[in-house]
Amino acid sequence: MNSHPALDPTSRGRTVGHDDYSLVPVPESARRSWISVAVQRFGQVSSFQQFMVGAILGYGMTFWDAVLAITVGSVLLEAITILLGVAGVREGLSTSVLARWAGFGRRGSALVGMLVAISLAGWFGVQNGVFAQGMHDLAPWSAEWQWALLGGAAITAVTTYGFRTMAWVGYLTVPAFLALALVSIVDALRSHPLSELVAAEPPGPPLSLGAGVTLVSGAFVLGAIMTPDMTRFNRRPSDVVKQTLLSVTLGEYAIGLIGVLLAHAARTDDVVGIVTSSSGVLGTLVLATAILKINDWNLYSSSLGLVNAVHVLTGRRVGRVPVTVALGAAGTLLSAVGIVHAFAGFLTAVGMLAPPVAGIVIAEYHLVRACRPVLQDARRAGTPPPDPADWAPRALVSWAAGTAAAVAGLGSAALTSVAVAFTVQAVLGRAPLGRLRTGRLRRGGGEASAHAVTAATPKGT
């Protein structure tokens, strides 16, 4: 599981600064303990977003139906997360760069990078808008747009410093958010016995089990797709399994079920209102830190996706830091003008396009495996892996099939699209006539390809 030495900028006496190996494998010297990564993964899953999911489930489902929806959704998410995470730790590459070889081809990976960049920049705006709303409720004399600008600037500043600083933010914000969740449920149980909340009928319109599973899986599917962005800093595949089982299981159940109980107690799915009314100033401030913990990763992965897309489409290497600043500024402005009010429509659009990417990468890397010898030979030789063909037609077919399944509303949209894309990619990849070698050099030879990748090496900040 050694990274590609020739792609490691430190092997040539260079430093990456805060670029965080945006286009090259993370070297062994920069890998972190699994706990360091697990805290950040737990921060993603046990976030304000999961609180929202739990409250929506509780507003439309009984407690035990919500437990079943969370269980089914969590198990499927864990499988997707682990398979993508293992690919990330083995190759040390971000999602969009890994996609060059794992199914999509060179220019196809630019599409993945653009999708990730646009989607997560949008999520950054949504979450920042929720932060601004909560702070405005706490201080009515202030304007939401002012808080949006302040919150966006703070998160952008943290994210520019990269993985190490974001890890320290996680050490502070994750315990604070767990404390908030505990305070909220204790406050609710003062006037509502636990047995009453567990047995209560949902206060809102009924939500089917399928819709509940879709909500659970769809809410975190983007987090699953960007797993390699995080696990490339792990040291071994077993670290990925441990941190996923711990963070996803505890995050989905602990925070999700607290959200369910709070919705039953407050008879509403307005999470911001629940938190601010039950925990006051302290609750609102901790809520703000919880949003920070997931939003820094939204912006971080968005920047990695855009860096890869720009490099592929223009041949130029742009630094992760300036890209982060640009995306942070755009997302902040969108939140200041009220993108949060388009939350439902945004989720629907992203839910149709993003999940098939996970199915394609998993099928190509773990089942078809055409890219594995190319990447393995490059690691052993200490040379850049040759670029694949610009386009991989079977990935485009699989992507279209997965998206069509989601649009058609077959089963749980997000999970169905992953399954369909995985199946089509595997069948086309394993069929004798469908084996388009992912590792095949583009016309022009390996020397040009190697030069293109080597030129992408960061020069330091």
Side-chain angles (χ1 to χ4, degrees), residues 90-256:
R90 283 177 177 168
E91 306 305 333
L93 298 170
S94 68
T95 298
S96 57
V97 176
L98 177 64
R100 293 192 192 185
W101 294 275
F104 286 89
R106 189 169 176 271
R107 290 191 177 274
S109 75
L111 294 181
V112 174
M114 290 299 296
L115 173 64
V116 170
I118 293 172
S119 300
L120 293 178
W123 270 109
F124 172 82
V126 168
Q127 295 284 356
N128 196 52
V130 174
F131 160 80
Q133 178 186 342
M135 297 306 293
H136 170 71
D137 292 342
L138 180 64
W141 46 266
S142 60
E144 282 191 28
W145 67 266
Q146 294 173 324
W147 287 112
L149 294 178
L150 179 62
I155 295 170
T156 301
V158 169
T159 309
T160 58
Y161 283 94
F163 185 90
R164 185 182 298 272
T165 300
M166 291 160 63
W168 282 107
V169 171
Y171 292 139
L172 297 174
T173 58
V174 170
F177 184 72
L178 291 177
L180 165 66
L182 181 60
V183 169
S184 299
I185 195 61
V186 168
D187 182 73
L189 291 177
R190 289 177 180 174
S191 54
H192 300 277
L194 180 60
S195 58
E196 175 186 318
L197 297 179
V198 171
E201 291 297 317
L207 191 67
S208 68
L209 178 61
V213 172
T214 298
L215 183 64
V216 172
S217 57
F220 192 63
V221 71
L222 273 176
I225 291 172
M226 65 187 191
T227 295
D229 296 347
M230 186 178 293
T231 60
R232 64 200 179 108
F233 287 96
N234 279 124
R235 292 170 178 161
R236 56 189 67 88
S238 60
D239 293 347
V240 176
V241 176
K242 289 184 292 187
Q243 72 196 31
T244 301
L245 293 178
L246 177 65
S247 60
V248 175
T249 301
L250 291 181
E252 293 284 350
Y253 279 100
I255 304 303

Side-chain angles (χ1 to χ4, degrees), residues 41-123:
R41 173 59 85 188
F42 185 72
Q44 283 186 307
V45 184
S46 61
S47 65
F48 174 74
Q49 181 181 342
Q50 190 57 34
F51 231 162
M52 290 177 63
V53 169
I56 295 172
L57 291 177
Y59 193 63
M61 305 180 80
T62 66
F63 177 82
W64 293 113
D65 283 345
V67 169
L68 182 57
I70 290 174
T71 299
V72 175
S74 297
V75 169
L76 295 172
L77 277 175
E78 286 177 351
I80 295 171
T81 301
I82 288 174
L83 290 171
L84 287 173
V86 167
V89 70
R90 283 177 177 168
E91 306 305 333
L93 298 170
S94 68
T95 298
S96 57
V97 176
L98 177 64
R100 293 192 192 185
W101 294 275
F104 286 89
R106 189 169 176 271
R107 290 191 177 274
S109 75
L111 294 181
V112 174
M114 290 299 296
L115 173 64
V116 170
I118 293 172
S119 300
L120 293 178
W123 270 109

Side-chain angles (χ1 to χ4, degrees), residues 268-281:
T268 179
D269 60 354
D270 179 11
V271 179
V272 174
I274 294 174
V275 171
T276 55
S277 63
S278 64
S279 306
V281 175

Side-chain angles (χ1 to χ4, degrees), residues 278-370:
S278 64
S279 306
V281 175
L282 176 62
T284 303
L285 293 177
V286 177
L287 177 61
T289 62
I291 293 175
L292 168 65
K293 189 63 225 89
I294 188 173
N295 233 6
D296 59 355
W297 270 99
N298 285 335
L299 187 56
Y300 184 81
S301 288
S302 180
S303 67
L304 292 176
L306 188 56
V307 165
N308 177 64
V310 170
H311 176 248
V312 169
L313 297 177
T314 69
R316 298 185 60 183
R317 192 263 172 206
V318 294
R320 187 193 65 84
V321 171
V323 169
T324 298
V325 173
L327 288 173
T332 298
L333 291 176
L334 289 175
S335 64
V337 299
I339 192 178
V340 68
H341 302 300
F343 184 74
F346 178 79
L347 270 182
T348 301
V350 170
M352 300 297 179
L353 293 173
V357 172
I360 293 168
V361 172
I362 291 172
E364 189 70 26
Y365 189 85
H366 292 284
L367 189 59
V368 178
R369 299 170 65 91

